[in-house]
Amino acid sequence: MRKRAEWMTRADDEILEYLASETAGTPKVIADALDRSNGYIGVRCRKLASYGLVERPSRGFYVITDAGTAYLEGELDASTLSDDE
């Protein structure tokens, strides 16, 4: 069972699931796959990155981190993460 944090939305889980299955993506590609707005997915990706669940190896391009994978597998309580913004 996943342990979500207060700041997380359902879209965050969807983004992490997408990145886990597709390895990487841009907010536009993720938004198209999830049928959500590009702007909203961009905001959520930046938020996930600030908590270390995804990282941005280059501008606008996101990959899931080990922490993100651990969260999806129920091995990490996201409420214990701190915001690096």
Side-chain angles (χ1 to χ4, degrees):
M1 181 175 190
R2 294 179 186 161
K3 299 166 189 102
R4 298 176 78 205
E6 282 184 24
W7 56 266
M8 295 181 82
T9 68
R10 174 68 191 135
D12 296 340
D13 282 16
E14 293 172 0
I15 292 165
L16 292 169
E17 290 165 359
Y18 177 87
L19 292 174
S21 69
E22 299 297 324
T23 310
T26 64
K28 177 167 180 15
V29 169
I30 298 167
D32 289 347
L34 301 180
D35 196 28
R36 298 205 181 238
S37 85
N38 182 26
Y40 179 69
I41 295 299
V43 167
R44 296 316 305 166
C45 283
R46 288 188 294 278
K47 183 63 122 176
L48 290 168
S50 75
Y51 282 94
L53 296 172
V54 301
E55 62 185 10
R56 194 166 74 178
S58 62
R59 185 172 180 193
F61 188 74
Y62 292 90
V63 296
I64 194 165
T65 63
D66 290 342
T69 300
Y71 164 76
L72 288 178
E73 293 172 353
E75 298 171 0
L76 174 73
D77 181 348
S79 67
T80 64
L81 300 172
S82 60
D83 186 354
D84 291 336
E85 284 190 331

